[in-house]
Amino acid sequence: MNGAESLVRTLVASGVTTCFANPGTSEMHFVAALDHVPGIRCVLGLFEGVVTGAADGYWRMSHKPAATLLHLGPGLANGLANLHNARKAASGIVNVVGEHATYHLQYDAPLTADIDGIARPVSAWIGRAKAPHDVPKLGAEAVAVARSGSGKIATMVLPADTAWNEVSGPAPALAPLPRAKVDDSAILAAAEALKKAGPRGMLVLGGHALLRPCLKVAARIAAATGCRLSNPGASARMERGGDLPRVGRVPYILQQALAYLKDTDEMVLVGARHPVAFFAYPGQPSLLTPESCNVTPVADVDDDLLDALERLADAVKAPKSADAPPALPKPAVADGAPTFEKIASTIAALIPDHAIVLDESLTSGRGIFAAAEASGPHDWLQNMGGSIGYSLPLSIGCAIAQPDRKVVVLVGDGSAFYTLQALWTLARENLNVTVVVFANRSYNILRGELANVGATNPGPRAIDMLTLDRPDPDWGALAKGHGVPGVRTDDMGQFAKIFKAALAETGPQLIELRL
């Protein structure tokens, strides 16, 4: 077999069953191998940022790495923003990046680029095949790296001649390294901190500590110590609702974040980092905790967080179980003109049980997270890296990983424009995704940032850089042009009716809510 086939067979043997792809000439032997080696589902994206975002979503909902297939340095560069987001989310991805034949590189053809240099900021591992026999071995290493810890990005560079020349066969799968156990000293320090602080203590959770097994243990710790449970501002995936404890989050807006944390004397970090401001602002702190707050790191996101929490529960003499939180009043479905409060209440009222909610609503949806505490069981996913345009691509991977669950995308119109090509893939694959685009026809979040950085009294040129109303986008038409049924409304009663109907469908739908 050739090198490309050996790589595909190695990926299959290593448990990779999905490839998100936007290939070019240098990758044609890999494309051919995908065609005649069974075991990998191939999903085409029209833009590499869709491909890499889809792989991020696939990992978050399956904890299995997908492969991406990218065309040389420019293709990788096009996918870099969502690889940045994936790295911040600790998602495992195997990038296969085509390269010119080894003997062709010396001629500096138009697409020649420093692929290793482009990949380095987002990759935990880079492997470059120098000869065909390198290919299967590097493929197995890439998957093992992607599966290690909480998840890593592994980038494999595949020169065309190493793909088309003959090799002896695939490589066997390699086992990832087990998660590390944290030291007893960290557990004891955290236990003392939480017992001493009582309700002025906070247990901050990240990574897989926000999934059910860990959350149930965290609830026991909170019952024993009185501490609050939170995450540092965003979660790669948080399971919520039902019998799970309510976990807060540090607000995005600086003054709200400072107020949220002001009564915290002791903070314990499990799979999370010290909460920091999203940006620096003149005369404002970067660290969000009060100066008097003592911070105790217990476990990194790659560590065995369940083991750490169970040992912490033992150290604080936590009960064997904790009561489920009391039920909250069901949110009301609103009518009339849209407001942020009506949007939050209506969406929280209609989110179906076991939905996967991707939140990129920014200004329009800041109240939905809190309102959805009263919704049924669901998963909540957020943008961990801050590079907008993550939610539409992510929905592809989530829907493929969990085809029996409804995926709900909440996205602002400015963010949706970055990767609207994802709509085409949603239609092509007939994925179970309902998209709500909040259309305020602006980068509204930046209007607030102008004031936050001291740029007061903005003039018409500054405002013009933040508006999306000339021309006025029609998201219903944009959706239909990509093969997704799309409607638009500016009335909450009509929105509720449309949203409820879309949730009952199994294919993709888009609703534009004009604000």
Side-chain angles (χ1 to χ4, degrees):
M1 66 183 68
N2 62 24
E5 181 175 334
S6 76
L7 177 55
V8 173
R9 292 188 180 278
T10 298
L11 294 176
V12 171
S14 301
V16 176
T17 59
T18 305
C19 178
F20 300 101
N22 187 277
T25 303
S26 301
E27 297 79 47
M28 286 299 101
H29 285 82
F30 190 87
V31 170
L34 288 168
D35 191 46
H36 66 259
V37 175
I40 292 185
R41 177 178 180 176
C42 304
V43 180
L44 179 63
L46 299 184
F47 170 61
E48 292 89 343
V50 172
V51 168
T52 53
D56 181 8
Y58 185 85
W59 171 269
R60 295 199 205 187
M61 295 310 302
S62 70
H63 211 70
K64 291 171 53 181
T68 70
L69 182 59
L70 306 169
H71 185 40
L72 296 125
L76 173 62
N78 279 344
L80 214 60
N82 273 330
L83 286 174
H84 162 81
N85 290 333
R87 183 180 71 85
K88 292 286 188 176
S91 291
I93 298 173
V94 175
N95 294 318
V96 178
V97 184
E99 173 65 291
H100 290 300
T102 55
Y103 60 82
H104 193 65
L105 284 169
Q106 62 183 311
Y107 302 111
D108 195 23
L111 278 169
T112 303
D114 181 3
I115 295 175
D116 297 54
I118 297 168
R120 193 165 292 115
V122 297
S123 303
W125 175 94
I126 300 171
R128 174 180 283 268
K130 297 179 180 177
H133 64 263
D134 293 335
V135 172
K137 177 176 70 72
L138 290 175
E141 289 180 16
V143 179
V145 170
R147 293 171 57 205
S148 64
S150 185
K152 298 285 185 294
I153 296 174
T155 300
M156 178 177 173
V157 185
L158 183 66
D161 55 331
T162 69
W164 70 52
N165 283 324
E166 188 174 307
V167 297
S168 58
L174 299 175
L177 293 174
R179 290 180 182 268
K181 310 284 188 184
V182 301
D183 291 338
D184 287 337
S185 58
I187 300 294
L188 294 175
E192 289 304 312
L194 292 178
K195 286 189 292 186
K196 178 175 66 175
R200 296 179 68 89
M202 181 177 286
L203 177 57
V204 181
L205 307 169
H208 68 278
L210 290 167
L211 302 183
R212 169 174 284 274
C214 289
L215 287 174
K216 298 294 283 184
V217 182
R220 294 167 49 211
I221 295 169
T225 64
C227 71
R228 290 193 289 166
L229 303 179
S230 186
N231 76 49
S235 54
R237 177 187 173 191
M238 180 195 296
E239 292 187 282
R240 309 178 77 206
D243 61 343
L244 292 175
R246 297 191 183 111
V247 179
R249 66 177 181 186
V250 179
Y252 170 86
I253 298 174
L254 180 65
Q255 294 307 318
Q256 293 179 6
L258 295 174
Y260 177 81
L261 295 171
K262 69 180 178 62
D263 295 325
T264 307
D265 292 340
E266 297 283 346
M267 178 177 285
V268 171
L269 306 177
V270 178
R273 294 184 176 182
H274 195 143
V276 299
F278 217 85
F279 298 104
Y281 299 104
Q284 298 293 333
S286 292
L287 294 178
L288 299 176
T289 47
E291 290 185 5
S292 59
C293 178
N294 181 56
V295 178
T296 304
V298 173
D300 183 75
V301 69
D302 287 328
D303 292 331
D304 188 335
L305 304 185
L306 179 59
D307 175 78
L309 287 168
E310 287 175 335
R311 288 159 58 201
L312 180 55
D314 290 342
V316 299
K317 296 181 169 54
K320 295 299 181 184
S321 63
D323 294 336
L328 295 172
K330 187 171 179 60
V333 174
D335 55 16
T339 65
F340 294 162
E341 293 77 14
K342 291 179 181 179
I343 289 170
S345 179
T346 299
I347 289 178
L350 295 177
I351 290 173
D353 284 357
H354 310 296
I356 301 166
V357 182
L358 311 187
D359 181 11
E360 197 175 15
S361 53
L362 301 179
T363 53
S364 301
R366 282 189 179 138
I368 303 174
F369 178 83
E373 285 189 331
S375 303
H378 63 278
D379 287 17
W380 197 274
L381 283 64
Q382 291 172 281
N383 188 343
M384 297 294 288
S387 181
I388 62 176
Y390 100 102
S391 59
L392 287 174
L394 207 80
S395 73
I396 296 168
C398 291
I400 288 174
Q402 300 276 350
D404 296 329
R405 297 176 65 181
K406 173 63 71 174
V407 179
V408 178
V409 175
L410 309 174
V411 61
D413 50 358
S415 296
F417 264 122
Y418 274 63
T419 48
L420 63 84
Q421 307 95 326
L423 295 172
W424 183 87
T425 304
L426 291 177
R428 180 185 177 99
E429 301 290 329
N430 193 35
L431 299 177
N432 193 16
V433 178
T434 296
V435 179
V436 179
V437 176
F438 300 107
N440 55 28
R441 298 171 295 288
S442 70
Y443 293 120
N444 202 41
I445 192 169
L446 296 182
R447 290 176 179 265
E449 295 299 327
L450 271 175
N452 290 341
V453 299
T456 56
N457 300 318
R461 278 181 290 184
I463 294 298
D464 205 41
M465 296 292 289
L466 309 181
T467 55
L468 305 174
D469 59 354
R470 209 171 60 251
D472 188 3
D474 182 342
W475 277 95
L478 288 167
K480 291 172 186 174
H482 288 79
V484 174
V487 295
R488 66 194 312 192
T489 183
D490 59 4
D491 176 79
M492 288 304 302
Q494 188 179 26
F495 168 78
K497 186 181 299 184
I498 297 168
F499 186 49
K500 187 175 182 179
L503 294 172
E505 299 287 336
T506 55
Q509 305 275 330
L510 182 143
I511 307 163
E512 177 187 356
L513 180 59
R514 295 171 63 83
L515 308 180

